[in-house]
Amino acid sequence: MLKFVSALACALAALSPTSALAQTYPARPITIVVGFAAGGPTDAIVRVLGERMKASLGQPIVVENVAGAAGSVAIGRVVRSAPDGYTLSIGHWSTHVVNGAIYRLPYDLAQDLEPIALLPSNPMIIVSKNAVPAVDLKQFIEWMKSKGEGVTAGTAGAGSGTHISGVYFQRAVGAPVHFVPYRGTGPALADLIAGQIDMIVDQASNALPHVRSGTIRAYAVTAKTRMPSAPDIPTVDEAGLPGLHMSVWYGLWGPKGMPKEIVARISAAAMEALADPAVRQRFVDLGLEIPPREQQTPQAFAVYHKAEIDKWWPIIKAANIKVD
Ligand code: MLT
């Protein structure tokens, strides 16, 4: 009898709408919502990843850029969407952790999202326009201090990774900085190259190609060790700001309530992409660090995301970073 009941339960489960959805998934293109303008680091990472995920999933990945409130508007769009695996959220430490400590969000970052995969992380690099007369970080800080009225630093909006890192940098240096918000660090970087702003504490993957081509200047990387792909850029410890270590990890989420099978399917596609030698090489060239495989899984990522919220919210709240 018991066997019959359990066989019946399995048969019914197999017929449930959730299971039917999972069996045919994905039957159409998948949208990944980016919280910043096209051309920035989040956009670049999802495009490399999405191209490879398409090969595993058999459906194109459509990137939708919904800028506003340092990525918060984009997350709201995903939280409110159907939990069917067709609308996903890519973001990072600032969008999916920090924003909860400084914005009044109409959703709960810890409760309303389904973690799918931990993605690579990015150290920051301190970069300036070429017109700044400095060849190293010490000279750059002297130049900043000599500008009585303060220097201008581009950010991807109040509370974004570039803003929070810029605030920590400013506090370490002790010179006035005026933060100039953009819809993402893609457009901020274009203005830095054009000499419209003075500096950015930017994600390495965004700035490195332009440092290499000589259109902007790099002074230090906010990591304990130099980047293998840019070994000539000193660490902050070497350059004169010891301990100013900052890095932005990326992740992929869906709305809460997605069928477990669909989470597993997307996660497997993301992990396959991160294991692909061509994808790895592109990420490493951009200065990104790929997390070990066991940390990429939905289960490990859920634990990590929660731990990061618990760790950073008190620190960010105490740092009293204003968003207006
Ligand atoms: C972007 O994609 O523009 C960045 O991730 C923004 C940031 O956090 O600084």
Side-chain angles (χ1 to χ4, degrees), residues 128-150:
S128 82
K129 62 181 181 186
N130 273 346
V132 173
V135 295
D136 59 25
L137 186 65
K138 285 198 173 117
Q139 286 186 12
F140 179 57
I141 293 171
E142 276 164 26
W143 176 81
M144 286 177 74
K145 289 183 171 165
S146 74
K147 295 264 158 198
E149 74 282 16

Side-chain angles (χ1 to χ4, degrees), residues 91-93 97 118 120-121 247-251 253 301 304-305 308:
H92 49 63
W93 168 76
V97 175
L118 178 66
S121 63
S247 151
V248 168
W249 54 261
Y250 278 80
W253 293 259
F301 180 36
Y304 183 61
H305 184 211
E308 284 285 280

Side-chain angles (χ1 to χ4, degrees), residues 32-52:
I32 304 188
V33 186
V34 169
F36 302 97
T42 317
D43 187 71
I45 288 170
V46 76
R47 284 177 200 276
V48 173
L49 201 73
E51 196 47 41
R52 180 58 181 80

Side-chain angles (χ1 to χ4, degrees), residues 34-37 39-44 70 92 94-95 124 155-157 159-163 183-187 201-203 206 248 250:
V34 169
F36 302 97
T42 317
D43 187 71
H92 49 63
S94 86
T95 53
M124 312 299 283
T155 76
S160 62
T162 35
H163 181 218
R183 293 171 72 76
T185 39
V201 183
D202 200 1
Q203 291 184 43
N206 199 42
V248 168
Y250 278 80

